Amino acid sequence: MSDDKQKVTSTDEFIKGLWRDNPVFVQVLGMCPTLAVSNTAENALAMGLATAFVLLMSNILVSLLRNFVPKQVRIASYILIIATFVTVTDYAIQAISVELHKSLGAFISLIVVNCLILSRAEAFASKNTIGKSILDALGMGLGFTLALFCLGAVREILGNGSIFNMPIFSEGFQSWIVMILPAGGFFTLALWLLIINALQTRKAKS
Amino acid sequence: MLKKTLDISSSPHIYKGRSTNEIMKNVVWALLPVVFFSVYSFGLNALLVIATATFASVLTEHVLCRLSKKETTIGDYSAVITGLLLGLTLPPSFPLWMAFIGGIIGIALGKYIFGGLGYNVFNPALVARAVLQAAFPVAITTWHPAFLTDRFSSIASSVFTLPFMEPKFDVISGATPLSAFKFDGVTTSTAELAFGQVSGSAGETCAVIIILGGIYLIARNMMNWRIPAAVLLSAFVLSGILYSINSELYPSPWFMLFSGGLMLGAVFMATDMVSSPITPIGLWIYGGIIGILTIVIRVWGGLSEGVMYSILLANAISPHIDSIIKNRVYGTKRKIKTA
Amino acid sequence: MSEASNIEMQNPASSKKMLLAMVSIGVISAFLIVMSFELTLPRVQRLKAEALEKAIFEVLPGTVRTEAFGVNADGNLFEIAEGDKPETVIYVGYDKNEKLVGYAVEGAGQGYADIIRVLYGYDPKEQKLIGFQVLESKETPGLGDKIGKDEEFLNNFKALDVSVSEDGKLLNKVITVKHGEKQNSWEIDGITGATISSRAIGNIIGTSTEEVVPILYEQSKNEPTVNN
């Protein structure tokens, strides 16, 4: 892959987060929510979208303020910005559904320490224009959501015999309880990493 | 006539005349009586479950070797042992499809992912059982009563559950001595426990046969006697102390020793050469940890049986035990300060 | 569009500039948080109240209006004032003719994984529990969480005997028994495979009813406002 000094198109900024630099499957960032709240497809999707929203808003603000914030206090100000949007998201989710808020629990507040968001702010938004930062945030955010959904779907299908709470097997399906337990998150993540690594090695060979 | 030439070879010059293969074969010999008793007390159900688990293990080993383009290693009997041990730790009326998945998990996740025989951190059979326990907690804690009169002519309906379907258990399940004690405060006599007159996992019920198998392996110098000795001794001492404090609340040490999977675990699983320490003192510490953790889980934990988790935990720390107590290499400093 | 503008490699910025940056970001943040809090508060409160009300209506079938009370040390109900957080909250349920349907009581106790919070409905006329719901539990999914889903288990609470004796004590303490061994009307039929969780429910309801039911039974006889 040759990124150096090549002309980076705006679609590229968007696409890279979805596949080539997928935050979960390639960069292995933000493992805490990935493993903890991907037990059902619904939780995974909600968590992914919440993170994507925080990522988008913080990227915008960081990019806007990039010439205004002195270098010495940049990390502190990024954290402040991220924390603000996490709190806003927390209220918003509560207002959408108390049930959903309960099942995501403390992990909404923990988006603050999701290193994906801080790394995008530091590595991208603080050096690029708003337009690019938005594209980058959208790509990374949706890539994160996609990865979480992949995990959540597998775990819900095996662990509960359903997808988005709709049963997909006939009566009497034996659910694999381990899949909705934290251990199942590790198994599923390992499985996806295995598949994606195998695909990329094959691609590199050919 | 004297040989004219002198053979020159590199070390090792002394052979012990003993291969992995031979030791493993002997472990299988020692396990066979346990299997026979299991089939005798639980009938065809146990036979099918043990056979399925073993078949799945051996098949997985073969397939994985082929996939990684190596020569198949099923000839060294280690996959057979993993399968047999897994089958022996499952309830006799366990659905076959779950036992099959257990066999696959044991070899693939418990052994092969680390690099095959000799590299596994945990006992593969116990890894498989731990995953099964977490995945199908109801099926793995529904016990089949022993010595049913029709055990050689009929098979429990749960055994032939269709793959991925939930098993229906037909008989009101028999409680194990440990769960009977934990949830209802009923103790079972030591004699009944020692001779396997009780319900439980397929191969854990008859303590006497397990001990005999252990003695055979120790006598042939194929198993380190320190491990079972340390496990049983520490479990006995700790439960003895508890019993002397309050004999109403805690069961007798003999009950603790002969009930559940402690005997099977101490003799056949904790002694897995790959996942246990190598220094003699290390072995005592390792066994002691298993024994104590087992009693702690049984007495204060939410589960009625704790042998599996204690062995897995001890497996995890066994390299550290060795590195803490290993001898100082001659000529090095007494204390090496690490930065 | 494509050229990247880096952060200028400034000389150590003056502390004034740093202070200014942090304070202004802080102000923006504070503004955003307060705004979203104010915007969402009414809806959040409404949703929470609705959820609780729904739970109460479920455990006390036929209820259309509820009132919340606390229980004080000498066993009397008192109305909850603004900001009060009594240990035991009792919800009194009335039907559409303003007749007393029963009391909904919150109970909590240690489960297998964490504290379980439940709500149960008590009918003083029948002297029975008539409804039950798990409000909050972290029990193992697919196993311990059957306490809130298993039809057979929930049927236990359609008519669970909590009769009060002459001297104002509970006649029989509610207790969970093994699955299939329920013999008396005050026993809860447990769940196979969720022994600990179903026993925890037995303990929670047992302790809570022992304490609260005699008080409520007296209340339903004495208090005129409740009885009409």
Side-chain angles (χ1 to χ4, degrees), chain B residues 226-277:
Chain B
R226 289 178 186 87
I227 298 175
V231 174
L232 298 177
L233 196 71
S234 59
F236 188 82
V237 169
L238 178 60
S239 53
I241 294 171
L242 290 175
Y243 184 64
S244 64
I245 293 173
N246 188 346
S247 59
E248 295 276 299
L249 203 58
Y250 305 112
S252 83
W254 294 110
F255 173 80
M256 280 299 197
L257 221 51
F258 286 103
S259 60
L262 185 60
M263 216 41 105
L264 188 70
V267 173
F268 286 108
M269 310 225 219
T271 51
D272 180 9
M273 290 178 189
V274 185
S275 50
S276 53

Side-chain angles (χ1 to χ4, degrees), chain A residues 66 84 95 102 127 132 177, chain C residues 2 5 29 43 47 135 141:
Chain A
R66 69 186 187 281
T84 306
K102 224 196 248 170
K127 296 167 186 156
K132 278 185 167 186
I177 311 268
Chain C
S2 63
S5 63
S29 302
R43 190 174 150 80
L47 284 178
L135 293 178

Side-chain angles (χ1 to χ4, degrees), chain B residues 196-221:
Chain B
Q197 307 299 302
V198 293
S199 171
S201 296
E204 70 177 20
T205 51
C206 185
V208 169
I209 289 183
I210 298 169
I211 295 174
L212 287 179
I215 290 176
Y216 167 77
L217 288 174
I218 291 169
R220 298 213 54 188
N221 210 4

Side-chain angles (χ1 to χ4, degrees), chain A residues 12-22 120 124 136:
Chain A
D12 234 32
E13 300 289 9
F14 178 66
I15 295 295
K16 70 169 195 276
L18 284 182
W19 175 253
R20 186 164 48 85
D21 284 340
N22 186 293
R120 287 337 282 172
F124 198 91
D136 176 73

Side-chain angles (χ1 to χ4, degrees), chain A residues 158 169-179 181 183 187, chain B residues 97-98 101 105 109 131 134-137 139 164-167:
Chain A
L158 274 180
F169 293 106
S170 58
E171 191 75 8
F173 172 76
Q174 167 72 54
S175 44
W176 300 42
I177 311 268
V178 69
M179 281 308 187
L181 299 179
F187 288 148
Chain B
W97 72 267
M98 294 183 185
I101 286 180
I105 290 172
L109 205 65
V131 173
F136 314 116
F164 301 103
M165 286 296 138
E166 201 174 348

Side-chain angles (χ1 to χ4, degrees), chain C residues 192-218:
Chain C
T192 325
T195 319
I196 296 178
S197 303
S198 53
R199 279 189 189 200
I201 296 296
N203 283 339
I204 293 168
I205 297 209
T207 335
S208 172
T209 47
E210 198 173 41
E211 196 181 307
V212 177
V213 163
I215 301 173
L216 294 179
Y217 185 60
E218 283 304 305

Side-chain angles (χ1 to χ4, degrees), chain C residues 6 31 45 53 62 77 89 104 107 125 140 157 170 187 202-203:
Chain C
N6 283 318
F31 174 71
Q45 276 179 339
E53 204 148 74
L77 297 187
V89 185
K125 265 181 249 104
T140 322
F157 305 97
L170 214 57
E187 286 170 345
N203 283 339

